[in-house]
Amino acid sequence: MGLFFADEHATPASQMGDGVCELMDTPEVSALKDTDTYEGLLALGKALCYQLRYREAVEVYTKAVEMRPRDIRAYRQRGARYISTLRPFEAFKDFLRCRQLGGDEMDISYRLGLCHYLAGDYIQGMKELEQAEPLCDDEMAVAVIYWHTLCAWRAGRSATLLRYVYRRGMEVGHHTAYDFAMAVAAGYVDVDKALVRLKAEKDDLEYSIMAYGVAAVLKQDGRREEADELIREIVRRDGFWISYAYIAAWNDVSYQKGFLTK
């Protein structure tokens, strides 16, 4: 069994595109299919998410929201799954509700920033991420800086968090891919050397984050065709398609057709 998700799992096309998910239920899903309790619905949603069956999980979490409209947990889980199925406007509503219910402000602002990025509202994305940054340790800060930088560049604004907050030697924990991309963005790593490094990267999760950030640097440097090809390569390498960088790349290719060079 997979560490993060089941070996047999839904495809990105079945969750973000027009594909159909035909996976068989796991024993855990089967055991919970007829549940009529809030906790049971949360457990069923989690079991579906393990197979990356996010669209079905959204339906389950919706039932849980209707059952307990003041319990934050179902909103938080549904909001995350709306992001994973490229429905940022729906996710936005759920995370605002989480804010009303007293949820973790760093978590909420970070994911609202992602929602705005995916929706193409880059100025609002910057604002949310700027709210999140002071609440972060270094590990989360480097992720916030990454998405803030991408928002700023697309909005034609200054990437102030990259300029004033990012530094070499941050305690980034497992967020090494975000750190790599920001090192390139800040000029600590040459972009052409970064492209060589990317060709050697075997892990699809790491690759998606690193490559999406490097693609943004290439665009800033006027190397649009190379950037666009890198984004398409991210989409081709779908072994860890649930990463936010992969979802953003899919969005660029499939949902914002005018963004990539024709």
Side-chain angles (χ1 to χ4, degrees):
M1 297 185 65
L3 178 60
F4 299 104
F5 46 80
D7 294 332
E8 295 293 326
H9 54 263
T11 65
S14 75
Q15 303 302 303
M16 296 188 290
D18 298 325
V20 177
C21 180
E22 298 179 342
L23 289 176
M24 298 287 289
D25 291 343
T26 63
E28 291 79 10
V29 170
S30 296
L32 292 162
K33 268 296 182 68
D34 296 322
T35 186
D36 60 358
T37 68
Y38 184 81
E39 298 299 335
L41 289 170
L42 293 183
L44 175 57
K46 183 177 180 180
L48 288 166
C49 287
Y50 185 61
Q51 292 184 282
L52 310 189
R53 292 163 65 181
Y54 293 142
R55 287 181 175 176
E56 294 166 84
V58 163
E59 296 176 5
V60 170
Y61 291 132
T62 297
K63 292 178 182 178
V65 164
E66 292 169 353
M67 189 177 292
R68 290 192 192 175
R70 295 197 59 80
D71 192 311
I72 195 173
R73 290 175 292 167
Y75 290 105
R76 173 62 180 77
Q77 294 303 316
R78 187 174 67 174
R81 302 293 70 90
Y82 275 139
I83 293 176
S84 301
T85 52
L86 258 179
R87 287 180 279 180
F89 295 103
E90 290 91 337
F92 183 78
K93 294 174 185 177
D94 274 355
F95 285 112
L96 285 182
R97 182 60 173 153
C98 288
R99 179 172 279 166
Q100 291 175 341
L101 293 171
D104 182 304
E105 189 58 33
M106 186 279 291
D107 175 72
I108 292 166
S109 287
Y110 176 60
R111 282 167 178 79
L112 283 172
L114 288 167
C115 292
H116 284 302
Y117 180 84
L118 293 171
D121 190 349
Y122 305 120
I123 299 296
Q124 288 302 315
M126 291 175 69
K127 290 179 180 178
E128 286 291 348
L129 293 162
E130 286 163 9
Q131 286 184 217
E133 186 274 324
L135 306 175
C136 294
D137 59 12
D138 279 2
E139 187 169 28
M140 276 307 302
V142 73
V144 166
I145 294 166
Y146 177 102
W147 291 108
H148 181 272
T149 299
L150 270 55
C151 282
W153 284 350
R154 289 200 178 182
R157 299 294 182 89
S158 176
T160 52
L161 295 187
L162 176 67
R163 183 175 180 182
Y164 297 113
V165 179
Y166 179 73
R167 65 188 187 280
R168 295 296 272 163
M170 293 176 70
E171 298 292 334
V172 298
H174 75 286
H175 280 168
T176 54
Y178 285 119
D179 186 48
F180 175 85
M182 290 302 92
V184 179
Y188 294 114
V189 175
D190 178 77
V191 67
D192 288 304
K193 290 182 178 178
L195 289 171
V196 173
R197 168 69 181 82
L198 280 173
K199 289 180 180 179
E201 180 55 56
K202 303 300 183 184
D203 184 277
D204 284 352
L205 169 59
E206 296 290 293
Y207 182 85
S208 66
I209 298 169
M210 294 161 64
Y212 196 69
V214 171
V217 176
L218 288 170
K219 274 191 166 60
Q220 284 295 105
D221 290 347
R223 298 164 64 174
R224 288 190 59 90
E225 292 186 4
E226 291 174 85
D228 293 344
E229 179 53 34
L230 202 54
I231 290 172
R232 293 187 183 98
E233 180 62 17
I234 295 169
V235 173
R236 286 190 284 267
R237 290 183 55 166
D238 63 357
F240 208 103
W241 69 261
I242 61 174
S243 83
Y244 287 143
Y246 184 97
I247 291 167
W250 180 283
N251 193 41
D252 291 343
V253 171
S254 301
Y255 284 76
Q256 297 179 3
K257 296 182 184 298
F259 181 73
L260 299 186
T261 301
K262 298 290 179 111

